[in-house]
Amino acid sequence: MVPTDDTAVAVTDTGGSGTAVLYLNGAYADQKHWRTVIADLGPGYRHISYDTRARGKSEQSADYSFEAALRDIDAVLAARGVERVILVGWSYGGILSWYWADRNPDRVIGVVTVDAVPYGLTGAAGAERIRKLFHRMRFLLPLVRPFGMAARMSAAQHAEVGIDANEYAAAAVPVLSRSTCPVRFVLATGDSLGSEKGEMEQVRTSLDPVLAANPNVTVSAKVASNHSKILRKDSPAVAAAVRETAAA
């Protein structure tokens, strides 16, 4: 367990002398979703994953904000003695990786983003849509928690995490456009929970201006699965993007 602010997070570190790879989870997920990707990459890397606050084996907190999640990256890397790292983030974790890399450019070898793009539901209408979604899901959340798909939070707290993340995602075009390290995207093509048919593919076009503006940002692969299944169904594509990033 690594102490951070008012809580502690559960960390797994394979150790070794290979390139350090830090895995950043989806908003309500735990670290076990990375098992297939880690297995595909194999022992040549130092794999570091952790459960964010109130997820998996980590402790609860009074602060589940995006900025708190960024501080947790600092805490994990400091505790494990890691100076330079590849960040691999899925969904919410992808958004975290962009901002942490932007604030710590000398410490990032590269970034691999799995199905996150610089788009968000913002403003009063966006917040209301997110709150309604989690209100409808309030009885489901405890049932999916053992599978690493929900946090030990109320439905309202889940919603506020989502609202916070959407605001940061929507503001991320300048962050990605000025990136000086390699940023590789692995994108799904299917819809996700709570999205309307075809909405996710339209959302993914928000990356186009960044691709046009910054040659450091590329799409490594676009795969057939959807947002929730991409780590399990298309782990080889994610692993390939990590290898490309390490080689670059």
Side-chain angles (χ1 to χ4, degrees), residues 4 18 30 33-34 97 101 104 113-115 120 124 128 131 154 159 168 176 179 187-188 199 221 247:
T4 175
D30 64 22
H33 292 275
W34 294 106
S97 72
N104 301 272
T113 300
V114 185
D115 212 38
E128 183 63 17
R131 290 189 180 110
S154 67
Y168 277 86
L176 286 166
S179 177
L187 300 175
E199 181 181 22

PDB file of all heavy atoms in Angstrom, residues 4 18 30 33-34 97 101 104 113-115 120 124 128 131 154 159 168 176 179 187-188 199 221 247:
ATOM      1  N   THR A   4      -1.137   8.199   0.172  1.00  0.00           N
ATOM      2  CA  THR A   4      -1.335   9.378  -0.666  1.00  0.00           C
ATOM      3  C   THR A   4      -2.470  10.203  -0.080  1.00  0.00           C
ATOM      4  O   THR A   4      -3.562   9.680   0.151  1.00  0.00           O
ATOM      5  CB  THR A   4      -1.622   8.987  -2.130  1.00  0.00           C
ATOM      6  OG1 THR A   4      -1.918  10.160  -2.890  1.00  0.00           O
ATOM      7  CG2 THR A   4      -2.749   7.986  -2.256  1.00  0.00           C
ATOM      8  N   GLY A  18      13.773  -3.598 -16.652  1.00  0.00           N
ATOM      9  CA  GLY A  18      13.161  -3.213 -17.917  1.00  0.00           C
ATOM     10  C   GLY A  18      12.517  -1.841 -17.847  1.00  0.00           C
ATOM     11  O   GLY A  18      12.383  -1.238 -16.772  1.00  0.00           O
ATOM     12  N   ASP A  30     -10.539  -1.494 -11.599  1.00  0.00           N
ATOM     13  CA  ASP A  30      -9.343  -1.797 -10.826  1.00  0.00           C
ATOM     14  C   ASP A  30      -8.250  -2.342 -11.744  1.00  0.00           C
ATOM     15  O   ASP A  30      -8.448  -2.518 -12.946  1.00  0.00           O
ATOM     16  CB  ASP A  30      -9.649  -2.741  -9.661  1.00  0.00           C
ATOM     17  CG  ASP A  30     -10.125  -4.119 -10.117  1.00  0.00           C
ATOM     18  OD1 ASP A  30      -9.846  -4.511 -11.262  1.00  0.00           O
ATOM     19  OD2 ASP A  30     -10.789  -4.801  -9.316  1.00  0.00           O
ATOM     20  N   HIS A  33      -7.828  -5.403 -14.794  1.00  0.00           N
ATOM     21  CA  HIS A  33      -8.177  -5.312 -16.211  1.00  0.00           C
ATOM     22  C   HIS A  33      -6.935  -5.306 -17.110  1.00  0.00           C
ATOM     23  O   HIS A  33      -7.044  -5.546 -18.311  1.00  0.00           O
ATOM     24  CB  HIS A  33      -9.015  -4.064 -16.472  1.00  0.00           C
ATOM     25  CG  HIS A  33     -10.381  -4.130 -15.864  1.00  0.00           C
ATOM     26  ND1 HIS A  33     -11.450  -4.724 -16.496  1.00  0.00           N
ATOM     27  CD2 HIS A  33     -10.851  -3.704 -14.671  1.00  0.00           C
ATOM     28  CE1 HIS A  33     -12.520  -4.639 -15.731  1.00  0.00           C
ATOM     29  NE2 HIS A  33     -12.183  -4.031 -14.613  1.00  0.00           N
ATOM     30  N   TRP A  34      -5.768  -5.052 -16.543  1.00  0.00           N
ATOM     31  CA  TRP A  34      -4.541  -4.989 -17.329  1.00  0.00           C
ATOM     32  C   TRP A  34      -3.834  -6.328 -17.461  1.00  0.00           C
ATOM     33  O   TRP A  34      -2.791  -6.420 -18.123  1.00  0.00           O
ATOM     34  CB  TRP A  34      -3.579  -3.969 -16.700  1.00  0.00           C
ATOM     35  CG  TRP A  34      -4.083  -2.576 -16.756  1.00  0.00           C
ATOM     36  CD1 TRP A  34      -4.579  -1.836 -15.721  1.00  0.00           C
ATOM     37  CD2 TRP A  34      -4.155  -1.732 -17.908  1.00  0.00           C
ATOM     38  NE1 TRP A  34      -4.955  -0.592 -16.158  1.00  0.00           N
ATOM     39  CE2 TRP A  34      -4.703  -0.499 -17.507  1.00  0.00           C
ATOM     40  CE3 TRP A  34      -3.801  -1.902 -19.245  1.00  0.00           C
ATOM     41  CZ2 TRP A  34      -4.909   0.551 -18.385  1.00  0.00           C
ATOM     42  CZ3 TRP A  34      -4.005  -0.851 -20.130  1.00  0.00           C
ATOM     43  CH2 TRP A  34      -4.552   0.355 -19.701  1.00  0.00           C
ATOM     44  N   SER A  97      -3.234  10.407 -18.183  1.00  0.00           N
ATOM     45  CA  SER A  97      -1.886  10.321 -18.751  1.00  0.00           C
ATOM     46  C   SER A  97      -1.525  11.589 -19.522  1.00  0.00           C
ATOM     47  O   SER A  97      -0.384  12.037 -19.478  1.00  0.00           O
ATOM     48  CB  SER A  97      -1.760   9.086 -19.640  1.00  0.00           C
ATOM     49  OG  SER A  97      -2.475   9.222 -20.847  1.00  0.00           O
ATOM     50  N   ALA A 101       1.620  13.808 -18.234  1.00  0.00           N
ATOM     51  CA  ALA A 101       2.727  13.977 -19.168  1.00  0.00           C
ATOM     52  C   ALA A 101       2.973  15.450 -19.479  1.00  0.00           C
ATOM     53  O   ALA A 101       4.121  15.884 -19.602  1.00  0.00           O
ATOM     54  CB  ALA A 101       2.449  13.201 -20.452  1.00  0.00           C
ATOM     55  N   ASN A 104       4.793  16.890 -16.577  1.00  0.00           N
ATOM     56  CA  ASN A 104       6.068  16.243 -16.260  1.00  0.00           C
ATOM     57  C   ASN A 104       6.754  15.745 -17.544  1.00  0.00           C
ATOM     58  O   ASN A 104       7.076  14.560 -17.666  1.00  0.00           O
ATOM     59  CB  ASN A 104       5.838  15.061 -15.316  1.00  0.00           C
ATOM     60  CG  ASN A 104       5.179  15.450 -14.017  1.00  0.00           C
ATOM     61  OD1 ASN A 104       5.846  15.811 -13.050  1.00  0.00           O
ATOM     62  ND2 ASN A 104       3.856  15.366 -13.975  1.00  0.00           N
ATOM     63  N   THR A 113      -2.632   5.598 -25.199  1.00  0.00           N
ATOM     64  CA  THR A 113      -3.999   5.879 -24.774  1.00  0.00           C
ATOM     65  C   THR A 113      -4.942   4.864 -25.392  1.00  0.00           C
ATOM     66  O   THR A 113      -4.974   4.706 -26.612  1.00  0.00           O
ATOM     67  CB  THR A 113      -4.420   7.295 -25.208  1.00  0.00           C
ATOM     68  OG1 THR A 113      -3.543   8.247 -24.613  1.00  0.00           O
ATOM     69  CG2 THR A 113      -5.844   7.583 -24.774  1.00  0.00           C
ATOM     70  N   VAL A 114      -5.718   4.203 -24.549  1.00  0.00           N
ATOM     71  CA  VAL A 114      -6.654   3.179 -24.997  1.00  0.00           C
ATOM     72  C   VAL A 114      -8.080   3.732 -24.917  1.00  0.00           C
ATOM     73  O   VAL A 114      -8.647   3.889 -23.829  1.00  0.00           O
ATOM     74  CB  VAL A 114      -6.521   1.895 -24.169  1.00  0.00           C
ATOM     75  CG1 VAL A 114      -7.423   0.800 -24.739  1.00  0.00           C
ATOM     76  CG2 VAL A 114      -5.070   1.418 -24.126  1.00  0.00           C
ATOM     77  N   ASP A 115      -8.631   4.042 -26.082  1.00  0.00           N
ATOM     78  CA  ASP A 115     -10.012   4.489 -26.239  1.00  0.00           C
ATOM     79  C   ASP A 115     -10.422   5.623 -25.310  1.00  0.00           C
ATOM     80  O   ASP A 115     -11.428   5.550 -24.604  1.00  0.00           O
ATOM     81  CB  ASP A 115     -10.990   3.329 -26.120  1.00  0.00           C
ATOM     82  CG  ASP A 115     -12.214   3.554 -27.006  1.00  0.00           C
ATOM     83  OD1 ASP A 115     -12.049   4.075 -28.125  1.00  0.00           O
ATOM     84  OD2 ASP A 115     -13.340   3.216 -26.584  1.00  0.00           O
ATOM     85  N   GLY A 120     -15.754  15.691 -24.163  1.00  0.00           N
ATOM     86  CA  GLY A 120     -16.490  15.417 -22.933  1.00  0.00           C
ATOM     87  C   GLY A 120     -17.863  16.038 -22.940  1.00  0.00           C
ATOM     88  O   GLY A 120     -18.130  17.006 -23.659  1.00  0.00           O
ATOM     89  N   ALA A 124     -24.103  22.259 -17.833  1.00  0.00           N
ATOM     90  CA  ALA A 124     -25.221  21.759 -17.037  1.00  0.00           C
ATOM     91  C   ALA A 124     -25.883  20.553 -17.687  1.00  0.00           C
ATOM     92  O   ALA A 124     -26.257  19.585 -17.010  1.00  0.00           O
ATOM     93  CB  ALA A 124     -26.241  22.876 -16.813  1.00  0.00           C
ATOM     94  N   GLU A 128     -26.025  16.797 -16.050  1.00  0.00           N
ATOM     95  CA  GLU A 128     -27.330  16.188 -15.774  1.00  0.00           C
ATOM     96  C   GLU A 128     -27.444  14.820 -16.438  1.00  0.00           C
ATOM     97  O   GLU A 128     -27.978  13.869 -15.843  1.00  0.00           O
ATOM     98  CB  GLU A 128     -28.440  17.102 -16.269  1.00  0.00           C
ATOM     99  CG  GLU A 128     -29.844  16.599 -15.977  1.00  0.00           C
ATOM    100  CD  GLU A 128     -30.146  16.485 -14.490  1.00  0.00           C
ATOM    101  OE1 GLU A 128     -29.412  17.076 -13.673  1.00  0.00           O
ATOM    102  OE2 GLU A 128     -31.124  15.788 -14.145  1.00  0.00           O
ATOM    103  N   ARG A 131     -25.411  12.399 -14.306  1.00  0.00           N
ATOM    104  CA  ARG A 131     -26.074  12.100 -13.029  1.00  0.00           C
ATOM    105  C   ARG A 131     -27.274  11.181 -13.225  1.00  0.00           C
ATOM    106  O   ARG A 131     -27.504  10.266 -12.422  1.00  0.00           O
ATOM    107  CB  ARG A 131     -26.501  13.398 -12.352  1.00  0.00           C
ATOM    108  CG  ARG A 131     -25.330  14.233 -11.840  1.00  0.00           C
ATOM    109  CD  ARG A 131     -25.774  15.405 -10.997  1.00  0.00           C
ATOM    110  NE  ARG A 131     -24.639  16.162 -10.533  1.00  0.00           N
ATOM    111  CZ  ARG A 131     -24.315  17.392 -10.957  1.00  0.00           C
ATOM    112  NH1 ARG A 131     -25.087  18.003 -11.857  1.00  0.00           N
ATOM    113  NH2 ARG A 131     -23.257  18.008 -10.482  1.00  0.00           N
ATOM    114  N   SER A 154     -20.892   5.956  -3.624  1.00  0.00           N
ATOM    115  CA  SER A 154     -22.305   6.066  -3.957  1.00  0.00           C
ATOM    116  C   SER A 154     -22.457   6.351  -5.445  1.00  0.00           C
ATOM    117  O   SER A 154     -21.496   6.740  -6.131  1.00  0.00           O
ATOM    118  CB  SER A 154     -22.942   7.198  -3.152  1.00  0.00           C
ATOM    119  OG  SER A 154     -22.406   8.446  -3.569  1.00  0.00           O
ATOM    120  N   ALA A 159     -20.992   9.615 -10.279  1.00  0.00           N
ATOM    121  CA  ALA A 159     -21.369  10.640 -11.261  1.00  0.00           C
ATOM    122  C   ALA A 159     -20.419  11.824 -11.214  1.00  0.00           C
ATOM    123  O   ALA A 159     -20.004  12.339 -12.267  1.00  0.00           O
ATOM    124  CB  ALA A 159     -22.800  11.097 -11.011  1.00  0.00           C
ATOM    125  N   TYR A 168     -12.198  17.674 -17.955  1.00  0.00           N
ATOM    126  CA  TYR A 168     -10.782  17.626 -18.312  1.00  0.00           C
ATOM    127  C   TYR A 168     -10.584  17.092 -19.731  1.00  0.00           C
ATOM    128  O   TYR A 168      -9.727  17.586 -20.472  1.00  0.00           O
ATOM    129  CB  TYR A 168     -10.008  16.776 -17.310  1.00  0.00           C
ATOM    130  CG  TYR A 168      -9.607  17.522 -16.062  1.00  0.00           C
ATOM    131  CD1 TYR A 168     -10.468  17.627 -14.984  1.00  0.00           C
ATOM    132  CD2 TYR A 168      -8.363  18.131 -15.971  1.00  0.00           C
ATOM    133  CE1 TYR A 168     -10.105  18.310 -13.833  1.00  0.00           C
ATOM    134  CE2 TYR A 168      -7.981  18.824 -14.824  1.00  0.00           C
ATOM    135  CZ  TYR A 168      -8.865  18.910 -13.757  1.00  0.00           C
ATOM    136  OH  TYR A 168      -8.498  19.609 -12.628  1.00  0.00           O
ATOM    137  N   LEU A 176      -2.813  17.909 -25.705  1.00  0.00           N
ATOM    138  CA  LEU A 176      -2.284  16.928 -26.652  1.00  0.00           C
ATOM    139  C   LEU A 176      -1.552  17.596 -27.815  1.00  0.00           C
ATOM    140  O   LEU A 176      -0.552  17.076 -28.310  1.00  0.00           O
ATOM    141  CB  LEU A 176      -3.422  16.061 -27.187  1.00  0.00           C
ATOM    142  CG  LEU A 176      -3.978  15.020 -26.216  1.00  0.00           C
ATOM    143  CD1 LEU A 176      -5.301  14.475 -26.728  1.00  0.00           C
ATOM    144  CD2 LEU A 176      -2.983  13.890 -26.005  1.00  0.00           C
ATOM    145  N   SER A 179       2.095  18.228 -27.001  1.00  0.00           N
ATOM    146  CA  SER A 179       2.893  17.125 -26.459  1.00  0.00           C
ATOM    147  C   SER A 179       4.195  16.965 -27.230  1.00  0.00           C
ATOM    148  O   SER A 179       4.221  16.963 -28.461  1.00  0.00           O
ATOM    149  CB  SER A 179       2.102  15.820 -26.511  1.00  0.00           C
ATOM    150  OG  SER A 179       2.896  14.754 -26.059  1.00  0.00           O
ATOM    151  N   LEU A 187      -7.797   2.733 -30.550  1.00  0.00           N
ATOM    152  CA  LEU A 187      -9.206   3.118 -30.482  1.00  0.00           C
ATOM    153  C   LEU A 187     -10.113   1.950 -30.825  1.00  0.00           C
ATOM    154  O   LEU A 187      -9.832   1.170 -31.731  1.00  0.00           O
ATOM    155  CB  LEU A 187      -9.479   4.271 -31.444  1.00  0.00           C
ATOM    156  CG  LEU A 187      -8.690   5.561 -31.211  1.00  0.00           C
ATOM    157  CD1 LEU A 187      -8.989   6.561 -32.308  1.00  0.00           C
ATOM    158  CD2 LEU A 187      -9.002   6.149 -29.839  1.00  0.00           C
ATOM    159  N   ALA A 188     -11.220   1.858 -30.107  1.00  0.00           N
ATOM    160  CA  ALA A 188     -12.272   0.906 -30.460  1.00  0.00           C
ATOM    161  C   ALA A 188     -13.148   1.514 -31.547  1.00  0.00           C
ATOM    162  O   ALA A 188     -12.983   2.683 -31.933  1.00  0.00           O
ATOM    163  CB  ALA A 188     -13.106   0.574 -29.227  1.00  0.00           C
ATOM    164  N   GLU A 199     -22.711   7.052 -31.557  1.00  0.00           N
ATOM    165  CA  GLU A 199     -22.232   8.263 -30.890  1.00  0.00           C
ATOM    166  C   GLU A 199     -20.735   8.205 -30.618  1.00  0.00           C
ATOM    167  O   GLU A 199     -20.020   9.199 -30.802  1.00  0.00           O
ATOM    168  CB  GLU A 199     -22.992   8.464 -29.578  1.00  0.00           C
ATOM    169  CG  GLU A 199     -22.590   9.718 -28.820  1.00  0.00           C
ATOM    170  CD  GLU A 199     -23.343   9.886 -27.517  1.00  0.00           C
ATOM    171  OE1 GLU A 199     -23.856   8.880 -26.976  1.00  0.00           O
ATOM    172  OE2 GLU A 199     -23.415  11.025 -27.035  1.00  0.00           O
ATOM    173  N   ALA A 221      -3.615   1.860 -33.707  1.00  0.00           N
ATOM    174  CA  ALA A 221      -4.543   0.824 -34.185  1.00  0.00           C
ATOM    175  C   ALA A 221      -5.972   1.264 -33.911  1.00  0.00           C
ATOM    176  O   ALA A 221      -6.245   1.994 -32.953  1.00  0.00           O
ATOM    177  CB  ALA A 221      -4.266  -0.506 -33.508  1.00  0.00           C
ATOM    178  N   ALA A 247      10.341   1.572 -28.260  1.00  0.00           N
ATOM    179  CA  ALA A 247      11.355   1.587 -29.320  1.00  0.00           C
ATOM    180  C   ALA A 247      11.652   2.999 -29.790  1.00  0.00           C
ATOM    181  O   ALA A 247      12.806   3.339 -30.126  1.00  0.00           O
ATOM    182  CB  ALA A 247      10.901   0.729 -30.491  1.00  0.00           C
TER     183      ALA A 247
END
